[in-house]
């Protein structure tokens, strides 16, 4: 008999991932692969969305519960906030209470907390039992002892992330992220690559740098724009793909400031806004290199895998889980000279913007090196297929 596994992500974006989202995208990969391998009966809790509801009907081995998310207010909000500050698990809102009541009827073999605030699952863990609770870490976290009684298994998207869970009584496993390699692959037709470059206003001689991700200071995009200003060769162009929060938020104060910062460079900075997952490969294929200049400790990141799978050389950062994913691809890994709050971590080095500019220039001036990195990246990306992700997830949750 197949085990029933419940997946509970934060109530922020819908599943299937019609509005984007890294966690939501991974869960959608799991759902789609489960239709092929059929080792589990999946139950997914998410927020309402008309497109997601319509898409969900095609999955025969997944049950969806679309629950409206209404944020808590008043005394209840104050009480929950006080409990969390004291270290006690407490729900952030009533959404998790609704989930808990539905779980009684589902009676799953395992409940997987898919990121977010893991203390929110306190009431669910007491109802379900620690032995059936799994914490799936999608980023680094500040571990608190109150989490130990809640979870018996921990999945990390990288070893760096898994090591953040400081509880030796929990079973730990590394379950790397994945991409759909039927979608993310090198351009099969050079003409299609050139067509998108023309649409973006790029010439054959331009050296296109791609940033793909959330428009947030922690991602270092403002330092990348500063780096472009240091490159006085007009052939260097930057394509910025992304928004502050996927399709759910297209603008904010930081994004407006970033566009003002980029105005001085004119048409050398191209903002696309949010791009649907199905369209993303074309941008990687059109670019000459991808730059992921994170100022935070990235858990790992899917963007690096997407770039490698498409044959796009990568400039990354040598901290967090990113090096685990990029090893073997000959990616250029920069020291994290600056933290996400602007603090200087390595004062003996040039600024983060200067380090980025130097790396871009190094690759821009060396097409043979870019070709070598592209080939190695494609080979490295084969380790992150959707099928391998599914097998690793199933083994870690249901067999460990």
């Amino acid at each position: 008999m197949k085990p029933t596994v419940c997946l509970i992500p934060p109530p922020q974006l819908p599943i299937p991932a019609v509005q984007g989202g890294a966690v939501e995208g991974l869960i959608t990969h799991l759902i789609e692969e489960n239709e092929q391998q059929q080792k589990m009966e999946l139950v997914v809790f998410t927020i309402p969305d008309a497109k997601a509801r319509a898409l969900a009907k095609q999955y025969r081995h997944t049950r969806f519960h679309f629950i409206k998310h209404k944020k808590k207010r008043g005394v209840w909000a104050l009480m929950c906030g006080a409990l969390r500050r004291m270290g006690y698990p407490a729900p952030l809102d009533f959404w998790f209470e609704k989930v808990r009541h539905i779980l009684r009827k589902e009676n799953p073999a395992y409940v997987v907390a898919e990121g977010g605030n893991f203390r929110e699952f306190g009431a669910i863990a007491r109802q379900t039992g620690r032995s059936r609770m799994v914490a799936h870490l999608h980023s680094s976290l500040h571990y608190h002892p109150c989490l130990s009684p809640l979870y018996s298994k921990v999945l990390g998207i990288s070893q760096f992330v898994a090591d953040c869970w400081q509880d030796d009584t929990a079973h730990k496993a590394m379950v790397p992220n994945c991409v759909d390699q039927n979608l993310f692959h090198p351009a099969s037709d050079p003409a299609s690559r050139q067509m998108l470059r023309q649409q973006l206003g790029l010439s054959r001689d331009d050296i296109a740098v791609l940033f793909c991700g959330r428009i947030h200071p922690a991602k270092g995009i403002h330092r990348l724009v500063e780096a472009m200003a240091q490159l006085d060769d007009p052939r260097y162009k930057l394509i910025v793909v992304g928004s502050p929060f996927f399709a759910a938020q297209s603008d904010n104060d930081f994004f407006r400031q970033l566009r003002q910062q980029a105005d001085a460079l004119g048409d050398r900075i191209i903002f696309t806004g949010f791009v649907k997952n199905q369209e993303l490969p074309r941008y990687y294929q059109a670019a000459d290199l991808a730059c992921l200049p994170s100022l935070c400790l990235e858990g790992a990141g899917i963007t690096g895998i997407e770039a490698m799978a498409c044959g796009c050389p990568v400039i990354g950062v040598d901290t967090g889980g990113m090096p685990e994913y990029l090893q073997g691809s000959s990616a250029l890994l920069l020291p994290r000279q600056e933290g996400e709050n602007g603090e200087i971590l390595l004062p003996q080095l040039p600024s983060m913007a200067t380090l980025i500019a130097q790396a871009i220039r190094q690759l821009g001036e060396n097409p043979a090196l870019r070709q070598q990195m592209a080939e190695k990246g494609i080979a490295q990306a084969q380790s992150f297929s959707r099928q391998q992700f599914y097998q690793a997830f199933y083994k870690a949750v249901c067999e460990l």
Side-chain angles (χ1 to χ4, degrees):
M1 185 175 178
K2 292 184 289 187
T4 298
V5 178
C6 286
L7 309 176
I8 310 176
Q12 297 174 332
L13 294 169
I15 298 170
V18 293
Q19 293 186 27
V23 174
E24 292 76 14
L26 278 173
I27 293 175
T28 303
H29 283 315
L30 197 66
I31 292 167
E32 292 177 344
E33 191 60 30
N34 193 54
E35 292 296 301
Q36 304 300 318
Q37 302 198 34
Q38 299 179 19
K39 291 188 174 185
M40 300 174 282
E41 288 296 326
L42 297 178
V43 177
V44 175
F45 292 88
T46 186
I47 59 174
D49 180 272
K51 292 182 180 179
R53 283 184 187 273
L55 191 58
K57 294 178 181 178
Q58 67 179 298
Y59 300 115
R60 296 173 52 248
H61 299 280
T62 301
R63 292 190 297 279
F64 292 84
H65 293 284
F66 292 94
I67 303 173
K68 187 175 181 180
H69 180 216
K70 183 179 179 181
K71 293 184 178 180
K72 64 185 186 329
R73 298 181 185 277
V75 176
W76 175 256
L78 294 174
M79 183 184 71
C80 289
L83 286 171
R84 294 198 335 271
R85 285 191 294 274
M86 290 187 292
Y88 295 101
L92 285 181
D93 51 46
F94 293 111
W95 192 83
F96 286 90
E97 286 301 303
K98 296 177 182 177
V99 169
R100 185 171 67 85
H101 289 300
I102 296 173
L103 280 174
R104 282 202 186 103
K105 299 177 183 178
E106 291 287 357
N107 191 28
Y110 300 100
V111 173
V112 184
E114 291 284 354
N117 187 330
F118 290 98
R119 299 185 194 183
E120 294 172 346
F121 293 83
I124 291 173
R126 289 190 291 273
Q127 172 182 293
T128 303
R130 180 179 186 264
S131 63
R132 292 192 286 170
M133 291 294 297
V134 183
H136 193 175
L137 312 185
H138 295 274
S139 60
S140 59
L141 85 163
H142 297 290
Y143 179 78
H144 192 281
C146 77
L147 296 173
S148 295
L150 305 185
Y151 302 94
S152 64
K153 297 180 182 181
V154 176
L155 317 182
I157 61 172
S158 65
Q159 194 60 52
F160 165 76
V161 165
D163 290 343
C164 292
W165 195 274
Q166 300 166 16
D167 175 15
D168 293 334
T169 68
H171 295 285
K172 298 181 186 180
M174 210 267 271
V175 180
N177 288 340
C178 70
V179 298
D180 183 355
Q181 296 183 354
N182 291 322
L183 185 63
F184 289 90
H185 54 75
S188 55
D189 181 7
S192 65
R193 177 181 187 270
Q194 189 57 32
M195 184 181 301
L196 179 58
R197 286 177 67 93
Q198 290 176 352
Q199 292 172 3
L200 293 171
L202 301 172
S203 72
R204 289 184 180 274
D205 295 331
D206 283 338
I207 300 166
V209 181
L210 177 69
F211 171 89
C212 182
R214 288 190 299 115
I215 307 301
H216 190 280
K219 298 296 183 179
I221 175 59
H222 53 310
R223 299 302 179 228
L224 176 52
V225 172
E226 289 178 16
M228 294 299 296
Q230 294 185 23
L231 298 168
D232 52 10
D233 187 338
R235 293 180 305 154
Y236 286 98
K237 304 288 178 64
L238 173 61
I239 308 168
V240 180
V241 175
S243 66
F245 193 68
F246 308 103
Q249 184 182 14
S250 60
D251 208 358
N252 63 8
D253 289 342
F254 176 74
F255 199 2
R256 284 187 284 273
Q257 292 170 6
L258 186 73
R259 294 196 298 271
Q260 290 175 1
Q261 177 187 351
D263 282 345
L265 295 174
D267 63 0
R268 289 183 57 199
I269 310 286
I270 303 159
F271 293 98
T272 70
F274 172 75
V275 173
K276 292 182 179 180
N277 199 57
Q278 291 78 5
E279 296 295 320
L280 275 180
R282 298 175 62 227
Y283 289 87
Y284 288 109
Q285 293 164 0
D288 295 290
L289 60 104
C291 187
L292 317 175
S294 292
L295 304 182
C296 61
L297 292 173
E298 289 279 6
I302 295 176
T303 309
I305 312 174
E306 293 173 344
M308 290 191 298
C310 292
C312 187
V314 177
I315 297 171
V317 181
D318 67 356
T319 54
M322 192 181 295
E324 297 178 37
Y325 280 43
L326 297 178
Q327 63 181 348
S329 70
S330 294
L332 295 186
L333 295 176
L334 308 178
R336 191 168 71 106
Q337 184 267 359
E338 180 182 342
E340 58 183 300
N341 296 318
E343 67 274 24
I344 302 302
L345 305 177
L346 300 170
Q348 71 275 20
L349 295 180
S351 69
M352 197 72 202
T354 299
L355 293 174
I356 296 168
Q358 290 172 348
I360 292 173
R361 187 180 289 110
Q362 179 183 350
L363 292 187
E365 294 175 352
N366 196 334
L369 176 59
R370 296 203 304 272
Q371 180 60 34
Q372 180 188 42
M373 292 171 66
E375 293 171 359
K376 290 188 175 181
I378 293 168
Q380 173 68 5
Q382 303 309 304
S383 304
F384 302 100
S385 70
R386 195 172 73 179
Q387 294 78 11
Q388 289 166 303
F389 168 68
Y390 180 90
Q391 292 286 356
F393 181 92
Y394 176 78
K395 181 177 180 180
V397 173
C398 301
E399 293 183 353
L400 187 65

